[in-house]
Amino acid sequence: MRRELVCTEAGTPPRLTVRSVELPHPGTGHVLVRAQATTVNPIDAKRAAGYGRRLLGLKGAARFPLALGNDVAGVVEAIGAGVTRFTRGQRVFGLLGTGRAGSAHASHVVVPQDLLLAAPHDADPTALAVLPYSFTTMWLALRSAGITPSSAKGARVLIHGASGGLGRLAMQVLRPWGSEITAICGSGQRQASLDLGAQVAVERGPGCIESLRSDFDVVLNFANWDDDARLASCLGTSAMGQATTVHPLLANFDRLGWIRGAWASRRDYRHVRSIVASRAPKASYVWTIFKTDRGALEALAEGVESGRLALPIGIAVPFDNAIAAFDHVSAGQPGRAVLLP
Ligand SMILES: NC(=O)c1ccc[n+]([C@@H]2O[C@H](COP(=O)([O-])OP(=O)(O)OC[C@H]3O[C@@H](n4cnc5c(N)ncnc54)[C@H](OP(=O)(O)O)[C@@H]3O)[C@@H](O)[C@H]2O)c1
């Protein structure tokens, strides 16, 4: 049987239960993974409370009882027809898309082979499970803001939310690429940001964004939508772009319905877009939305293999105590939250 963690109804705190269902069979090109670890990401904690019910509902990803989770690390239990990359017993980690692909908060997860990576020898599944979703989102943000290994060299990059998961991973990628990083971080996190590769780190607080230089090539907002317009004012005239993962798209539709939600989102996007364009005519401005991406996974594999990528673990608990992991994330406690199925 497969044990899966589900939210029975939308609520705060989450209404969680563990149920047993038939063990799934991997179809063509798919792999059945016996999960050793999976992650509660910020999006899971929000979705458990009903966040994204309209837009994610279009993908079949908002109906309760709702199974959550995108990350998995474990051992290959069975392979479907046509699977060439993996064999039974192999240790792997990887990613599920959001929607009809299923959920990763389960003892067994069926994953397309393209979204799986071989785990490095002796790597800890807990350490691997916290990476795929966050890394992929961060990678998509970098790309949409125009950063590539060649354009990153010498680029002045401002990261808001540098002490969080996406921020830390961005620094771990950008530092070896030669970017000049300025980090806006939480209280008491300044030294950690410098240690991770920021040249300049400031703790957030009133006036902190205004006090920064205004010639950044790239701005990454992983922290707070309310700061997006002020961050755009930090771009220089030859900037490459700004990407934000904390846009109000899903919340607007939840709050205002289809028509007013679409109107509000267009207004919000255009407001910041106009500031970006006035600062830097050629700069892109993108609201990053997670999706699976093979290129991101290949970059993740390389980063893990070289030992460059890691996130601190804040809590690791079995399914029976999953509520503690959700609480950890909702309270913004430091470190990632891991479930051990
Ligand atoms: N659009 C998408 O598809 C997508 C995908 C993945 C993630 N996200 C979102 O992107 C954000 C970053 O993800 P993550 O995994 O890095 O989250 P995380 O680990 O919780 O980090 C969030 C960071 O933002 C800071 N922060 C939180 N609230 C803030 C506020 N009101 N003002 C300023 N800074 C604030 C935190 O500071 P402290 O360190 O002081 O707590 C932390 O550094 C999350 O909001 C997440 O939901 C969106």
Side-chain angles (χ1 to χ4, degrees):
M1 298 296 279
R2 160 184 152 116
R3 290 176 78 236
E4 61 181 20
L5 182 73
V6 291
C7 305
T8 52
E9 58 181 333
T12 311
R15 321 277 198 263
L16 300 172
T17 190
V18 180
R19 69 184 180 192
S20 290
V21 296
E22 283 294 310
L23 201 60
H25 292 289
T28 302
H30 286 65
V31 175
L32 177 66
V33 178
R34 179 169 54 75
Q36 294 174 308
T38 177
T39 310
V40 179
N41 285 304
I43 187 73
D44 298 311
K46 292 178 197 167
R47 287 175 65 200
Y51 173 78
R53 63 184 177 278
R54 286 184 203 273
L55 280 185
L56 294 179
L58 295 176
K59 296 167 90 188
R63 191 173 309 126
F64 287 82
L66 181 63
L68 298 164
N70 296 87
D71 294 308
V72 62
V75 178
V76 173
E77 185 132 318
I79 57 173
V83 170
T84 50
R85 293 198 174 131
F86 302 100
T87 53
R88 276 192 66 185
Q90 190 174 353
R91 298 181 56 233
V92 291
F93 67 117
L95 187 61
L96 281 182
T98 300
R100 297 187 176 86
S103 90
H105 288 174
S107 62
H108 297 77
V109 182
V110 174
V111 188
Q113 67 166 339
D114 287 352
L115 299 182
L116 271 185
L117 299 168
H121 178 65
D122 73 15
D124 174 6
T126 303
L128 296 176
V130 297
L131 295 174
Y133 177 84
S134 295
F135 185 89
T136 298
T137 308
M138 181 280 300
W139 188 260
L140 295 173
L142 290 192
R143 277 213 323 222
S144 59
I147 309 184
T148 61
S150 54
S151 69
K153 195 167 171 45
R156 294 174 294 262
V157 181
L158 173 61
I159 304 177
H160 190 22
S163 27
L166 270 56
R168 283 170 177 267
L169 291 172
M171 288 194 282
Q172 291 168 17
V173 168
L174 291 173
R175 185 53 199 258
W177 285 359
S179 298
E180 203 183 295
I181 301 167
T182 296
I184 305 175
C185 56
S187 166
Q189 295 292 322
R190 194 173 160 275
Q191 190 56 48
S193 296
L194 294 173
D195 293 346
L196 278 168
Q199 271 85 357
V200 177
V202 291
E203 293 187 6
R204 69 170 182 264
C208 123
I209 296 174
E210 291 78 358
S211 72
L212 298 171
R213 57 200 288 175
S214 52
D215 62 351
F216 286 100
D217 297 308
V218 170
V219 167
L220 301 170
N221 184 2
F222 300 146
N224 185 4
W225 166 248
D226 293 342
D227 295 330
D228 220 47
R230 274 179 297 142
L231 290 167
S233 299
C234 297
L235 289 168
T237 49
S238 55
M240 292 185 256
Q242 173 161 333
T244 178
T245 61
V246 286
H247 50 75
L249 186 69
L250 270 60
N252 280 343
F253 280 93
D254 286 348
R255 215 163 36 86
L256 301 169
W258 290 111
I259 294 174
R260 289 173 57 223
W263 184 85
S265 297
R266 186 165 176 266
R267 178 204 58 201
D268 293 343
Y269 176 83
R270 290 178 130 202
H271 171 57
V272 183
R273 174 79 193 98
S274 70
I275 300 170
V276 171
S278 70
R279 304 281 314 169
K282 293 193 180 146
S284 59
Y285 173 62
V286 175
W287 286 3
T288 303
I289 297 173
F290 163 77
K291 64 181 171 61
T292 59
D293 185 281
R294 179 68 199 170
L297 284 180
E298 281 165 8
L300 170 62
E302 207 181 301
V304 167
E305 200 63 54
S306 65
R308 269 189 292 114
L309 299 175
L311 289 176
I313 309 295
I315 185 172
V317 288
F319 272 1
D320 296 339
N321 193 20
I323 190 73
F326 278 79
D327 285 350
H328 178 93
V329 176
S330 299
Q333 293 290 318
R336 308 314 275 180
V338 175
L339 297 175
L340 306 168

PDB file of all heavy atoms in Angstrom, residues 108-129:
ATOM      1  N   HIS A 108       5.234   6.345  -1.531  1.00  0.00           N
ATOM      2  CA  HIS A 108       5.658   5.913  -2.866  1.00  0.00           C
ATOM      3  C   HIS A 108       5.192   6.955  -3.870  1.00  0.00           C
ATOM      4  O   HIS A 108       4.030   7.366  -3.825  1.00  0.00           O
ATOM      5  CB  HIS A 108       5.066   4.556  -3.230  1.00  0.00           C
ATOM      6  CG  HIS A 108       5.530   3.450  -2.329  1.00  0.00           C
ATOM      7  ND1 HIS A 108       5.039   3.263  -1.065  1.00  0.00           N
ATOM      8  CD2 HIS A 108       6.471   2.489  -2.522  1.00  0.00           C
ATOM      9  CE1 HIS A 108       5.644   2.238  -0.505  1.00  0.00           C
ATOM     10  NE2 HIS A 108       6.529   1.738  -1.358  1.00  0.00           N
ATOM     11  N   VAL A 109       6.083   7.335  -4.768  1.00  0.00           N
ATOM     12  CA  VAL A 109       5.769   8.417  -5.698  1.00  0.00           C
ATOM     13  C   VAL A 109       6.144   7.969  -7.107  1.00  0.00           C
ATOM     14  O   VAL A 109       7.243   7.454  -7.331  1.00  0.00           O
ATOM     15  CB  VAL A 109       6.566   9.688  -5.315  1.00  0.00           C
ATOM     16  CG1 VAL A 109       6.212  10.842  -6.231  1.00  0.00           C
ATOM     17  CG2 VAL A 109       6.300  10.078  -3.859  1.00  0.00           C
ATOM     18  N   VAL A 110       5.207   8.167  -8.045  1.00  0.00           N
ATOM     19  CA  VAL A 110       5.514   7.851  -9.447  1.00  0.00           C
ATOM     20  C   VAL A 110       6.004   9.122 -10.130  1.00  0.00           C
ATOM     21  O   VAL A 110       5.307  10.135 -10.143  1.00  0.00           O
ATOM     22  CB  VAL A 110       4.271   7.298 -10.168  1.00  0.00           C
ATOM     23  CG1 VAL A 110       4.566   7.105 -11.661  1.00  0.00           C
ATOM     24  CG2 VAL A 110       3.836   5.974  -9.551  1.00  0.00           C
ATOM     25  N   VAL A 111       7.222   9.048 -10.674  1.00  0.00           N
ATOM     26  CA  VAL A 111       7.877  10.238 -11.238  1.00  0.00           C
ATOM     27  C   VAL A 111       8.299   9.947 -12.678  1.00  0.00           C
ATOM     28  O   VAL A 111       8.854   8.880 -12.946  1.00  0.00           O
ATOM     29  CB  VAL A 111       9.145  10.611 -10.413  1.00  0.00           C
ATOM     30  CG1 VAL A 111       9.713  11.945 -10.858  1.00  0.00           C
ATOM     31  CG2 VAL A 111       8.853  10.624  -8.925  1.00  0.00           C
ATOM     32  N   PRO A 112       8.049  10.871 -13.616  1.00  0.00           N
ATOM     33  CA  PRO A 112       8.593  10.683 -14.972  1.00  0.00           C
ATOM     34  C   PRO A 112      10.117  10.595 -14.902  1.00  0.00           C
ATOM     35  O   PRO A 112      10.735  11.354 -14.147  1.00  0.00           O
ATOM     36  CB  PRO A 112       8.165  11.972 -15.708  1.00  0.00           C
ATOM     37  CG  PRO A 112       7.111  12.605 -14.876  1.00  0.00           C
ATOM     38  CD  PRO A 112       7.333  12.161 -13.463  1.00  0.00           C
ATOM     39  N   GLN A 113      10.710   9.711 -15.670  1.00  0.00           N
ATOM     40  CA  GLN A 113      12.172   9.545 -15.535  1.00  0.00           C
ATOM     41  C   GLN A 113      12.943  10.831 -15.840  1.00  0.00           C
ATOM     42  O   GLN A 113      14.014  11.055 -15.298  1.00  0.00           O
ATOM     43  CB  GLN A 113      12.683   8.386 -16.386  1.00  0.00           C
ATOM     44  CG  GLN A 113      12.592   8.561 -17.885  1.00  0.00           C
ATOM     45  CD  GLN A 113      13.432   7.507 -18.627  1.00  0.00           C
ATOM     46  OE1 GLN A 113      14.360   6.910 -18.083  1.00  0.00           O
ATOM     47  NE2 GLN A 113      13.082   7.254 -19.879  1.00  0.00           N
ATOM     48  N   ASP A 114      12.363  11.704 -16.669  1.00  0.00           N
ATOM     49  CA  ASP A 114      13.037  12.973 -16.999  1.00  0.00           C
ATOM     50  C   ASP A 114      13.119  13.917 -15.813  1.00  0.00           C
ATOM     51  O   ASP A 114      13.877  14.892 -15.848  1.00  0.00           O
ATOM     52  CB  ASP A 114      12.291  13.700 -18.117  1.00  0.00           C
ATOM     53  CG  ASP A 114      12.492  13.017 -19.447  1.00  0.00           C
ATOM     54  OD1 ASP A 114      13.328  12.090 -19.505  1.00  0.00           O
ATOM     55  OD2 ASP A 114      11.820  13.401 -20.411  1.00  0.00           O
ATOM     56  N   LEU A 115      12.307  13.667 -14.798  1.00  0.00           N
ATOM     57  CA  LEU A 115      12.305  14.561 -13.634  1.00  0.00           C
ATOM     58  C   LEU A 115      13.029  13.942 -12.443  1.00  0.00           C
ATOM     59  O   LEU A 115      12.893  14.397 -11.306  1.00  0.00           O
ATOM     60  CB  LEU A 115      10.870  14.942 -13.250  1.00  0.00           C
ATOM     61  CG  LEU A 115      10.097  15.679 -14.344  1.00  0.00           C
ATOM     62  CD1 LEU A 115       8.700  16.067 -13.867  1.00  0.00           C
ATOM     63  CD2 LEU A 115      10.857  16.930 -14.811  1.00  0.00           C
ATOM     64  N   LEU A 116      13.776  12.878 -12.716  1.00  0.00           N
ATOM     65  CA  LEU A 116      14.550  12.224 -11.658  1.00  0.00           C
ATOM     66  C   LEU A 116      16.044  12.375 -11.936  1.00  0.00           C
ATOM     67  O   LEU A 116      16.472  12.421 -13.088  1.00  0.00           O
ATOM     68  CB  LEU A 116      14.243  10.729 -11.614  1.00  0.00           C
ATOM     69  CG  LEU A 116      13.099  10.236 -10.746  1.00  0.00           C
ATOM     70  CD1 LEU A 116      13.078   8.711 -10.788  1.00  0.00           C
ATOM     71  CD2 LEU A 116      13.175  10.749  -9.312  1.00  0.00           C
ATOM     72  N   LEU A 117      16.816  12.400 -10.848  1.00  0.00           N
ATOM     73  CA  LEU A 117      18.280  12.446 -10.950  1.00  0.00           C
ATOM     74  C   LEU A 117      18.856  11.328 -10.093  1.00  0.00           C
ATOM     75  O   LEU A 117      18.279  10.988  -9.048  1.00  0.00           O
ATOM     76  CB  LEU A 117      18.798  13.781 -10.427  1.00  0.00           C
ATOM     77  CG  LEU A 117      18.324  15.040 -11.160  1.00  0.00           C
ATOM     78  CD1 LEU A 117      18.687  16.284 -10.353  1.00  0.00           C
ATOM     79  CD2 LEU A 117      18.929  15.108 -12.555  1.00  0.00           C
ATOM     80  N   ALA A 118      19.977  10.795 -10.510  1.00  0.00           N
ATOM     81  CA  ALA A 118      20.674   9.811  -9.676  1.00  0.00           C
ATOM     82  C   ALA A 118      21.252  10.537  -8.460  1.00  0.00           C
ATOM     83  O   ALA A 118      21.829  11.620  -8.601  1.00  0.00           O
ATOM     84  CB  ALA A 118      21.797   9.172 -10.482  1.00  0.00           C
ATOM     85  N   ALA A 119      21.070   9.963  -7.282  1.00  0.00           N
ATOM     86  CA  ALA A 119      21.636  10.587  -6.073  1.00  0.00           C
ATOM     87  C   ALA A 119      23.122  10.298  -6.012  1.00  0.00           C
ATOM     88  O   ALA A 119      23.549   9.185  -6.312  1.00  0.00           O
ATOM     89  CB  ALA A 119      20.944  10.033  -4.840  1.00  0.00           C
ATOM     90  N   PRO A 120      23.918  11.293  -5.631  1.00  0.00           N
ATOM     91  CA  PRO A 120      25.344  11.018  -5.483  1.00  0.00           C
ATOM     92  C   PRO A 120      25.569   9.962  -4.408  1.00  0.00           C
ATOM     93  O   PRO A 120      24.780   9.860  -3.462  1.00  0.00           O
ATOM     94  CB  PRO A 120      25.921  12.352  -5.017  1.00  0.00           C
ATOM     95  CG  PRO A 120      24.889  13.374  -5.317  1.00  0.00           C
ATOM     96  CD  PRO A 120      23.575  12.671  -5.318  1.00  0.00           C
ATOM     97  N   HIS A 121      26.629   9.212  -4.560  1.00  0.00           N
ATOM     98  CA  HIS A 121      26.987   8.177  -3.607  1.00  0.00           C
ATOM     99  C   HIS A 121      27.018   8.774  -2.195  1.00  0.00           C
ATOM    100  O   HIS A 121      27.575   9.834  -1.991  1.00  0.00           O
ATOM    101  CB  HIS A 121      28.359   7.606  -3.986  1.00  0.00           C
ATOM    102  CG  HIS A 121      28.834   6.567  -3.046  1.00  0.00           C
ATOM    103  ND1 HIS A 121      28.185   5.360  -2.897  1.00  0.00           N
ATOM    104  CD2 HIS A 121      29.866   6.552  -2.180  1.00  0.00           C
ATOM    105  CE1 HIS A 121      28.819   4.658  -1.987  1.00  0.00           C
ATOM    106  NE2 HIS A 121      29.842   5.363  -1.528  1.00  0.00           N
ATOM    107  N   ASP A 122      26.410   8.131  -1.250  1.00  0.00           N
ATOM    108  CA  ASP A 122      26.370   8.479   0.171  1.00  0.00           C
ATOM    109  C   ASP A 122      25.707   9.827   0.503  1.00  0.00           C
ATOM    110  O   ASP A 122      25.849  10.360   1.600  1.00  0.00           O
ATOM    111  CB  ASP A 122      27.746   8.379   0.856  1.00  0.00           C
ATOM    112  CG  ASP A 122      28.734   9.483   0.487  1.00  0.00           C
ATOM    113  OD1 ASP A 122      28.296  10.487  -0.077  1.00  0.00           O
ATOM    114  OD2 ASP A 122      29.926   9.311   0.767  1.00  0.00           O
ATOM    115  N   ALA A 123      24.965  10.413  -0.456  1.00  0.00           N
ATOM    116  CA  ALA A 123      24.256  11.663  -0.134  1.00  0.00           C
ATOM    117  C   ALA A 123      23.056  11.359   0.766  1.00  0.00           C
ATOM    118  O   ALA A 123      22.413  10.324   0.637  1.00  0.00           O
ATOM    119  CB  ALA A 123      23.794  12.349  -1.401  1.00  0.00           C
ATOM    120  N   ASP A 124      22.769  12.275   1.660  1.00  0.00           N
ATOM    121  CA  ASP A 124      21.674  12.119   2.605  1.00  0.00           C
ATOM    122  C   ASP A 124      20.346  12.473   1.908  1.00  0.00           C
ATOM    123  O   ASP A 124      20.210  13.583   1.379  1.00  0.00           O
ATOM    124  CB  ASP A 124      21.945  13.083   3.779  1.00  0.00           C
ATOM    125  CG  ASP A 124      20.799  13.134   4.768  1.00  0.00           C
ATOM    126  OD1 ASP A 124      19.838  12.357   4.619  1.00  0.00           O
ATOM    127  OD2 ASP A 124      20.876  13.978   5.694  1.00  0.00           O
ATOM    128  N   PRO A 125      19.350  11.562   1.899  1.00  0.00           N
ATOM    129  CA  PRO A 125      18.087  11.871   1.211  1.00  0.00           C
ATOM    130  C   PRO A 125      17.407  13.125   1.741  1.00  0.00           C
ATOM    131  O   PRO A 125      16.772  13.869   0.991  1.00  0.00           O
ATOM    132  CB  PRO A 125      17.211  10.629   1.464  1.00  0.00           C
ATOM    133  CG  PRO A 125      17.978   9.696   2.303  1.00  0.00           C
ATOM    134  CD  PRO A 125      19.377  10.215   2.467  1.00  0.00           C
ATOM    135  N   THR A 126      17.568  13.393   3.019  1.00  0.00           N
ATOM    136  CA  THR A 126      16.958  14.596   3.593  1.00  0.00           C
ATOM    137  C   THR A 126      17.551  15.854   2.949  1.00  0.00           C
ATOM    138  O   THR A 126      16.836  16.792   2.596  1.00  0.00           O
ATOM    139  CB  THR A 126      17.213  14.635   5.119  1.00  0.00           C
ATOM    140  OG1 THR A 126      16.695  13.440   5.658  1.00  0.00           O
ATOM    141  CG2 THR A 126      16.546  15.806   5.776  1.00  0.00           C
ATOM    142  N   ALA A 127      18.857  15.848   2.778  1.00  0.00           N
ATOM    143  CA  ALA A 127      19.529  17.011   2.173  1.00  0.00           C
ATOM    144  C   ALA A 127      19.140  17.163   0.702  1.00  0.00           C
ATOM    145  O   ALA A 127      19.037  18.289   0.198  1.00  0.00           O
ATOM    146  CB  ALA A 127      21.041  16.861   2.309  1.00  0.00           C
ATOM    147  N   LEU A 128      18.908  16.039   0.012  1.00  0.00           N
ATOM    148  CA  LEU A 128      18.548  16.105  -1.408  1.00  0.00           C
ATOM    149  C   LEU A 128      17.107  16.550  -1.606  1.00  0.00           C
ATOM    150  O   LEU A 128      16.784  17.282  -2.545  1.00  0.00           O
ATOM    151  CB  LEU A 128      18.742  14.731  -2.063  1.00  0.00           C
ATOM    152  CG  LEU A 128      20.178  14.204  -2.114  1.00  0.00           C
ATOM    153  CD1 LEU A 128      20.195  12.801  -2.709  1.00  0.00           C
ATOM    154  CD2 LEU A 128      21.070  15.146  -2.931  1.00  0.00           C
ATOM    155  N   ALA A 129      16.218  16.108  -0.709  1.00  0.00           N
ATOM    156  CA  ALA A 129      14.781  16.351  -0.904  1.00  0.00           C
ATOM    157  C   ALA A 129      14.422  17.827  -0.826  1.00  0.00           C
ATOM    158  O   ALA A 129      13.381  18.232  -1.332  1.00  0.00           O
ATOM    159  CB  ALA A 129      13.974  15.567   0.134  1.00  0.00           C
TER     160      ALA A 129
END
